[in-house]
Structures are given as C-alpha cells and as structure tokens.
Amino acid sequence: MDASDSTHSCRSRETEIVFLDLETTVPRRAGQSFSVLEFGAVVFCPWKLAELESFATLIRPKDLSIVATRSGRRDGITRDSVVDAPAFEEVSDKIFDILNGRIWAGHNIQRFDCVRINEAFAAAGRDPPVPVGVIDSLGVLREKFGHRAGNMKMEALATYFGLGQQKHRSMDDVRMNFEVIKHCATVLFLESNLPGILKGKWHPSSSIVTRSRSNNNHGSTPSRTLSNPEESAGSMNVHSRKSPPVSASMRRSLPYSRRAGLRKVTQRVKNLLGKAQHGSQPMASLLKHSYPVIR
C-alpha cells in the first residue's frame, strides 16, 4: 500500500510504528548468553493501521550445538531449522534499516527484545538501531486494561480474546500482538463511552491462572484467579511487596482497651496536661507517663 494514499501520510519514519519480536535460545548455564534465532517485524502507519513493510528471517547462531534438535512446540525452531539460515551479520543491515529511527512496539520488549537487539549488534561489532520511542504493550495493557486477562502475557491475552494459541514464532507473534492491542483498544473505547453500563463489569476467565515472578526466583508460583475487581484490589493490597501482611506478633499493643473508646483516652490526656499547668508534675515525668497514652 502507498502511504501517500492515506489522509495522514506516513512518509516520516518518526511516525511509523514497527512491531517486532525475537525468538532466542535460553541460557542453560552460568555465563551463557542468549542467541537470536529469529527476527520478525511489521511496520504500520499509525493513522490507518495500514501495513507498510515487513521482514522476517531465521538466524543461524555461531554455535549450532546450543539449539535443540527437537522442539516441544508445533512448528518450533530446531537445529535443522537454522542450519542453513543466514548469520546475524548477514541480515544486520536489513534489521537495522527496518528498526532505526522508528517507534518500536512489542510485548515485554523493554526488558527482553530491546536488550537482545543491542547485544546482537554489539557482538557483530556494529552500532545498534535507535528508536524514537518504545511502546511496551505489556506495561501499557497492565496499566490500562487491568489484570482481567490473568498475567497479561501474550498467551493469556490471546486466550482471553479467542485469538488462538501463541506459536512463539516471530511473525506470528507480531501479528497476534497487533490484534491483541486492537481488541483491548476497542474494549477500552466502549467502556469509556458507556462507563455506567460497561465499566467494571468484566470478569476474568476461569481458565486463566495468574502467575507472579520474583526478581530472585526464576520459577513462577500460580495463584487463583480473582472473581471480581473488588476482590482483586483487596488481594493485591494484602500481598503487595510494598505492603506485606502484618502478623499478630508484629502488631503494637494498645495501652487501652478498644472498647474503652476515645473518651477515656482524652480524659487521661486532659488530666496530665492539667497537672503540668499547675506545676505539680515535672515535664519529664509528664512525658514519661503520657507516652503510653499517645503512642
């Protein structure tokens, strides 16, 4: 499609959005790094969401032994898949050209894909492409769309909207990411225009299990799906890392019975202040005896 046909032209690279995804090896021992096995990207015009350009390629790592001979996924990447693929150095010009000077978008790209791209270009002895902006749909959707789709990973979002199963192949995941964003945007648009009817009426799927990942633990712990937003908010408050649950032993005991009410506490303070005013009690003694009342 010719971008000049659009009401808003995408002639400027700075306004074009490139959705990207990488598939890599997974380090299995200390000191081992990630190796890019596949790169996929689609450039869109933001005004009409028209596809302007796309590029995808398998990539052969320097050490083929780090690639599994079999994949647990259908159409997964195996050693045979990449044995005849170009090395990263052979496709780095094309990858640089499609990425540099554009807005990058993708799911969890700030923590993963952007880092891997910089590493790959550094290993090739080249300067990496530079984006004019980065849109990480994982962070954006967690903030705007809530956790109605469980852990908000691509697989959970695709299941929530009935978009099929994530294939973990670059071009398939790029297009799925784009469709997920369009679905989320539609729901948010409807909710914003019909707040009294739609907002807060969503319910997470019973088939989705949320998972949390700690910084020091690469494993994940499943937790039950919350049935409504109120329960979700309460649960997040209880289990927040910033606000851990307080045990009974950590609660400070009150110097008065809860049933005594505020009246008795107020009267004790008045009595202490009255004695101090008439000079019948030194200030140090006043503070000593008033501490249990006011703490």
Side-chain angles (χ1 to χ4, degrees):
M1 173 182 175
D2 187 354
S4 62
D5 294 338
S6 301
T7 303
H8 296 279
S9 175
C10 288
R11 285 191 295 259
S12 173
R13 291 177 64 91
E14 296 177 354
T15 63
E16 295 170 353
I17 302 176
V18 53
F19 278 76
L20 63 113
D21 182 76
L22 299 179
E23 296 300 322
T24 71
T25 59
V26 178
R28 301 189 181 280
R29 61 177 182 270
Q32 192 176 43
S33 60
F34 291 88
S35 292
V36 179
L37 298 179
E38 189 175 38
F39 171 87
V42 179
V43 181
F44 291 96
C45 170
W47 312 118
K48 288 193 172 182
L49 305 183
E51 183 175 324
L52 304 176
E53 182 183 354
S54 65
F55 176 69
T57 180
L58 288 165
I59 297 173
R60 184 185 71 251
K62 293 181 179 179
D63 182 6
L64 281 172
S65 66
I66 63 175
V67 186
T69 56
R70 290 186 297 178
S71 174
R73 300 188 182 104
R74 183 182 179 183
D75 299 324
I77 299 174
T78 63
R79 190 177 302 173
D80 288 340
S81 304
V82 299
V83 66
D84 295 322
F88 183 83
E89 290 80 2
E90 298 176 62
V91 293
S92 60
D93 285 340
K94 180 60 178 177
I95 294 176
F96 184 94
D97 182 65
I98 201 170
L99 294 179
N100 193 52
R102 286 181 166 127
I103 301 168
W104 297 4
H107 210 64
N108 196 34
I109 62 171
Q110 286 188 311
R111 293 183 59 183
F112 188 80
D113 302 75
C114 294
V115 178
R116 305 287 88 81
I117 288 171
N118 288 337
E119 290 174 349
F121 274 90
R126 295 195 50 177
D127 292 332
V130 179
V132 297
V134 176
I135 302 173
D136 193 323
S137 57
L138 177 61
V140 171
L141 294 181
R142 278 178 173 171
E143 178 184 352
K144 303 295 183 182
F145 199 67
H147 286 264
R148 61 185 87 184
N151 57 21
M152 300 299 286
K153 292 183 179 180
M154 186 58 60
E155 185 175 7
L157 286 160
T159 300
Y160 182 82
F161 287 113
L163 297 176
Q165 190 173 17
Q166 185 183 10
K167 294 184 178 180
H168 293 281
R169 295 299 301 268
S170 291
M171 193 57 75
D172 292 315
D173 286 1
V174 163
R175 298 191 186 283
M176 177 172 280
N177 191 183
F178 189 62
E179 288 301 313
V180 161
I181 288 180
K182 288 197 294 185
H183 279 68
C184 290
T186 300
V187 172
L188 294 173
F189 171 79
L190 293 174
E191 289 180 348
S192 66
N193 284 275
L194 298 169
I197 299 175
L198 296 179
K199 199 162 187 179
K201 301 297 183 181
W202 57 268
H203 295 282
S205 169
S206 59
S207 63
I208 296 174
V209 177
T210 60
R211 294 182 182 272
S212 61
R213 184 184 296 268
S214 68
N215 292 332
N216 298 322
N217 185 2
H218 294 290
S220 55
T221 305
S223 61
R224 67 184 181 88
T225 301
L226 303 173
S227 59
N228 57 64
E230 290 78 9
E231 184 182 0
S232 175
S235 179
M236 284 189 289
N237 288 337
V238 171
H239 299 290
S240 168
R241 293 177 186 172
K242 293 184 179 180
S243 303
V246 180
S247 64
S249 61
M250 293 175 63
R251 294 192 184 98
R252 185 165 51 185
S253 59
L254 297 173
Y256 57 88
S257 170
R258 291 183 181 274
R259 295 182 181 180
L262 186 61
R263 182 182 300 177
K264 291 185 178 180
V265 178
T266 304
Q267 189 59 48
R268 291 179 65 181
V269 173
K270 286 182 178 180
N271 293 340
L272 288 169
L273 291 176
K275 291 180 180 180
Q277 185 177 5
H278 291 87
S280 60
Q281 188 175 20
M283 183 57 68
S285 178
L286 170 65
L287 293 176
K288 177 181 177 181
H289 290 89
S290 62
Y291 175 73
V293 177
I294 62 177
R295 68 173 177 172

